[in-house]
Amino acid sequence: MIKMSRVLVVGDSCKDVFIYGDINRLTPEAPVPVFNPIRETSNDGMAKNVANNVKALGVDVVTITNPNSIRKIRYVDHKSNQLVLRVDEHDYCQRIDSNLLNDIQNNHFDSIIISDYCKGFLEEDDIKFICENNKNVFIDTKKKLDMWVNDATYLKINSLEYEENKDFFDNNSIIEKTIVTKGNEGCLFKSKIYPTEDVQVKDISGAGDTFLAGLVVEYLKSNDIFKSIKFAQECTKIVVQKHGVSTI
C-alpha cells in the first residue's frame, strides 16, 4: 500500500477579495476614477492559499494559521483588468500559541511549509524553532532575513526580496538552498536560471503560493529539487492565466 504524503502549512492567512467594476470617468472633486462595482469574488489567501493548492494537487494537508479575518480587498477595472486600489483590513494577527508551536513535529508530517506574510503569526524565533526541530521545512517569508532561516531545507523568495537581502546572501551559505522567483524571467537556483514559458498573464496574485505548493508536492514525490522547480513553474503558469487568487 502506497503511503499518502501529509503536509503541514503554518503561517498568516487572509481573505482575498476582488471587486470588479466599471470606470468611465473621473470624479470632479479630485483626479481619481469613479468606480462602479459589478461583481465580487472571495478566496482564501496567503497560507490558506498555499494549503488549498497543496490539497488541489492531491496531498493531505493540515493548516495552522490565525483565526481573525485579515482582508485584502482589490478594486479592479473589469475591462482592462487593471488594479486601481487595494484596501487591507485588520492587517495584523496574534502570534501562534506557544503550546501549539511546541506540538509541531515532523513525525506527523512529510513536509512543513512556512508561509510567513509577516502579519504577526510567526516571529523569527518561531520559524527558527520549527526549522531546528523538524526536517524537510520549506520557507517563504516576507521578513528581513537573518540566521534564523539557516536550518531550512529550502528557502523561496522573489527577486525584490532577494535584492533587499543581498548583503545577507553574500555572506551566508543559505544561498545554496534558496530559490528566487523572477516572474516571467523564470527562477534562479544555484546560479542557474530556469526559464518559464510566456503566457497571457491575467493576475499574479497568489502565484508565489502556487509555486511553493507545487515545489513541495513534487519534491515529496521525486526528492529532486530541479524537477520540483520545473513542476512548480508549470503550476504557476496555469494560475496566472486566471483572474484573482486561484488554485491549480
Side-chain angles (χ1 to χ4, degrees), residues 31-181:
V32 295
V34 176
F35 187 90
N36 294 308
I38 297 174
R39 63 185 177 90
E40 178 178 322
T41 65
S42 180
N43 304 90
D44 292 329
M46 302 195 302
K48 282 187 178 178
N49 186 39
V50 176
N52 287 342
N53 275 276
V54 170
K55 183 178 180 180
L57 289 167
V59 173
D60 189 22
V61 63
V62 174
T63 309
I64 298 177
T65 188
N66 50 293
N68 70 311
S69 182
I70 296 172
R71 297 207 323 154
K72 296 180 182 179
I73 307 166
R74 298 170 176 88
Y75 293 84
V76 182
D77 175 31
H78 90 282
K79 291 192 289 288
S80 65
N81 202 46
Q82 176 65 48
L83 176 68
V84 294
L85 177 67
R86 185 174 122 180
V87 179
D88 289 2
E89 294 181 348
H90 313 295
D91 201 34
Y92 185 81
C93 60
Q94 290 187 340
R95 187 175 181 178
I96 185 173
D97 181 83
S98 58
N99 293 324
L100 192 57
L101 178 68
N102 290 328
D103 285 342
I104 295 176
Q105 296 181 31
N106 233 155
N107 60 334
H108 300 311
F109 304 99
D110 298 288
S111 181
I112 296 175
I113 299 174
I114 296 175
S115 177
D116 171 42
Y117 275 80
C118 206
K119 305 298 183 183
F121 191 69
L122 294 171
E123 298 294 339
E124 288 88 345
D125 288 346
D126 302 326
I127 297 174
K128 186 173 187 288
F129 174 84
I130 294 171
C131 292
E132 287 178 343
N133 292 279
N134 296 280
K135 298 178 180 179
N136 221 18
V137 179
F138 289 71
I139 297 179
D140 184 1
T141 180
K142 306 304 178 188
K143 289 181 172 59
K144 184 72 175 177
L145 298 177
D146 210 329
M147 304 295 283
W148 46 270
V149 298
N150 279 14
D151 288 318
T153 306
Y154 289 103
L155 172 68
K156 196 282 293 183
I157 58 173
N158 61 38
S159 54
L160 177 60
E161 293 158 353
Y162 174 75
E163 291 301 325
E164 289 174 345
N165 291 278
K166 193 84 165 50
D167 291 343
F168 173 70
F169 286 117
D170 286 343
N171 299 289
N172 197 310
S173 61
I174 189 70
I175 189 62
E176 294 298 309
K177 301 188 289 183
T178 300
I179 300 161
V180 184
T181 55

Side-chain angles (χ1 to χ4, degrees), residues 208-239:
D209 300 333
T210 301
F211 182 95
L212 183 61
L215 183 79
V216 173
V217 169
E218 180 57 37
Y219 190 76
L220 289 175
K221 293 178 181 178
S222 65
N223 199 34
D224 184 330
I225 193 61
F226 304 104
K227 188 175 181 180
S228 301
I229 288 171
K230 296 303 292 182
F231 179 75
Q233 289 178 313
E234 287 298 309
C235 293
T236 307
K237 182 179 75 175
I238 293 170
V239 298

Side-chain angles (χ1 to χ4, degrees), residues 4-24:
M4 185 176 181
S5 296
R6 196 162 186 249
V7 170
L8 172 67
V9 177
V10 186
D12 335 73
S13 293
C14 73
K15 277 293 181 183
D16 277 310
V17 179
F18 287 79
I19 301 175
Y20 297 91
D22 277 329
I23 298 176
N24 297 313

